[in-house]
Amino acid sequence: MLAITNAKIFDGTGKKYENANLLIQDGKIQRLGEDLEIGEEYTVIDAAGKIVTPGLIDVHTHLGVHEEGVGKEGQDFNETSAAATAQVRAIDGINPMEKGFEDARRFGITTVQVMPGSANVIGGEMIVLKTAGQIIDDMVIRNPSGLKAATGENPKRFHGGKGIMPTTRMGVAAILREKFIEAQSYIENRKAGKADRKLELENIAKVLNKEIPLRVHAHRADDIITILRLKREFGFDLTIEHCTEGHLIAPFIAKHDVRVSVGPTMSSRSKVELADKGWHTLPALAEEGIAFSLTTDHPVVGIEHLMTSAILAVKNGLSEEQALEAITINAARHLGVEDRVGSLEPGKDADFVIWSGDPFDLRSSVEETYINGERV
């Protein structure tokens, strides 16, 4: 049993405690508040002068499937042998010993979603996991957590460059429609006992059955509109990943009951889809009541800069509460794991960070990171 005492605590839901205690039992948060009685059975850590927050969450990464410092051998995030590879699963390509996981822990990130890359129209299944461990299966929070899809220049370049479909945005949308129609028929035929198992269509069927969302790489406004059109056609749950030009169509997005991840805004404008990239997207989404999270898209921007991104978001118009929620409780909701992580509430996993000072001061550092009540 563990007690963090005398700390200023941000619980991730907008509440702040000036001089509070956080009690941990069996890897879960037991109680949080001021003037709590602490028995002799607790190991006490005095955090006077420190700030405690929930463990941070990056909703969109390629951690462990794109190994840093390895080269081609460590690039297991795009199965580019076909334009649609719904049958692949990120869990089978993650190396938990990869250096990025250590960086994540050192900078207070305790939960991540790992997904295939954006070279394919359909890239495969993704997973949500803790950032500490050696056995991926023991680190899992949600698997699968979604099916990756991508619009725009990436699938056009990877496959159109080979002279095969898709060579256009029309082709990207057509492949998605074809695969969803094929999966609809597969669902009916399986129910009738007329079809053998086919992993690709099984995984797409999970989206059509609303077991998991489709999470779609979409930067440009026209690509965002296309994927919202497909959502209306097929009725699946959707998150928009990147949403770079979301500020241009924020009222339209708000009509569709979707969550979005924004980023990596710290990156350069490396392609046409990023021409209007900037921090102005976030306040525009907030004004329309659209639920958003922040992401580094590691390794596009190093995962150690998740909090840096939140600081820059505040500098450019978000409140500190909005920015913190975008990497804690809103991020957990984006991933569908808010029952376990994202805020410091009784019964949730004891994932938290002790900071040397205000986390929104770039000079502050992470002193200790805890996952499931264990210092990592």
Side-chain angles (χ1 to χ4, degrees), residues 274-303:
L274 303 181
D276 199 20
K277 175 191 69 68
W279 299 102
H280 50 272
T281 301
L282 294 165
L285 297 175
E287 186 174 344
E288 294 297 328
I290 298 167
F292 60 86
S293 305
L294 298 177
T295 178
T296 63
D297 195 9
H298 177 91
V300 179
V301 170
I303 198 163

Side-chain angles (χ1 to χ4, degrees), residues 17-52:
Y17 301 82
E18 289 298 326
N19 186 21
N21 302 327
L22 179 66
L23 305 186
I24 311 300
Q25 183 176 15
D26 298 327
K28 300 288 185 180
I29 296 170
Q30 184 185 25
R31 286 184 293 164
L32 166 65
E34 300 167 357
D35 302 320
L36 297 181
E37 184 176 341
I38 300 172
E40 294 181 355
E41 66 272 21
Y42 288 89
T43 299
V44 176
I45 296 176
D46 187 351
K50 314 295 182 185
I51 292 180
V52 175

Side-chain angles (χ1 to χ4, degrees), residues 279 282-284 286 292 294 310 312-323 326:
W279 299 102
L282 294 165
F292 60 86
L294 298 177
L312 290 172
V314 171
K315 185 177 180 179
N316 287 275
L318 289 191
S319 69
E320 289 187 1
E321 289 75 16
Q322 288 173 318

